[in-house]
Amino acid sequence: IIMALGVADSLHLVGQYYEEQLNPRGRSKQELIVDACMALWYPVLITSLTDVAGFFALYLVGIMPPIRYFGLFTCVGVLGALVYSYAIGPAGLMVRPLKVSGAFLRRRSSAGQAGGMDIVGRLMGRLGALVYRRRYLTLGLGVGVIAIAAWGASRLTINDARIMAFK
């Protein structure tokens, strides 16, 4: 879990750095890296803090010691991954030579603009337009799915006989 979150934060930072390189506007390499970090600090911080809150809840309410320690150590690891992403990641980008990613250049040339869309991007755009046009239907379907899930959850029976073996 910690490795996945740390890698995801770093990959988002590198991706934003490459996006910033597509329109440098006379900025230096350091300014590009700072702008990439500034663009992502809030989303990365919020996702990390929600993960910390969730795993800290495991620590607070965990009945079994392994679950509690899993929650505690994962909290520490997620915070470490956040610090790593914003301390070591930008330093690593500074060491590398300033070079625009070929994948981003291909996206630009295929669409004629920076950040051009591939087939997945076009499909997501169409899906977003469909959801917007049918927003009340989509909302109703979402509420229906939640209602069915709540009904199904109410029918669950908890068999905690095996938990007694851990006490």
Side-chain angles (χ1 to χ4, degrees):
I1 293 172
I2 297 166
M3 185 177 292
L5 293 172
V7 168
D9 290 347
S10 297
L11 284 178
H12 287 301
L13 180 61
V14 170
Q16 184 65 35
Y17 171 66
Y18 283 137
E19 289 281 342
E20 296 290 334
Q21 282 183 350
L22 289 176
N23 191 8
R25 297 187 307 261
R27 295 177 289 176
S28 69
K29 183 179 182 178
Q30 181 179 358
E31 290 171 328
L32 290 171
I33 293 170
V34 168
D35 288 346
C37 290
M38 291 300 294
L40 292 178
W41 77 269
Y42 188 72
V44 170
L45 177 70
I46 294 301
T47 56
S48 295
L49 290 180
T50 55
D51 292 336
V52 166
F55 287 111
F56 193 67
L58 278 180
Y59 174 71
L60 291 177
V61 300
I63 297 170
M64 297 181 288
I67 300 296
R68 293 189 69 194
Y69 290 122
F70 170 74
L72 180 64
F73 290 128
T74 305
C75 284
V76 172
V78 168
L79 289 175
L82 176 66
V83 169
Y84 173 84
S85 294
Y86 274 86
I88 307 301
L93 288 174
M94 276 302 290
V95 172
R96 299 191 68 229
L98 184 62
K99 180 181 171 191
V100 178
S101 168
F104 281 85
L105 287 175
R106 283 191 297 279
R107 280 180 47 196
R108 173 193 271 180
S109 64
S110 69
Q113 61 182 355
M117 290 193 286
D118 56 1
I119 190 167
V120 174
R122 288 191 300 271
L123 287 173
M124 290 293 112
R126 288 182 186 146
L127 177 64
L130 175 70
V131 167
Y132 181 75
R133 279 194 316 272
R134 309 264 191 230
R135 56 189 170 270
Y136 297 113
L137 176 65
T138 304
L139 182 63
L141 288 173
V143 168
V145 167
I146 290 172
I148 291 170
W151 174 77
S154 71
R155 297 183 46 96
L156 290 175
T157 57
I158 299 172
N159 181 0
D160 61 353
R162 302 200 103 215
I163 291 178
M164 295 304 163
F166 290 103
K167 287 189 175 185

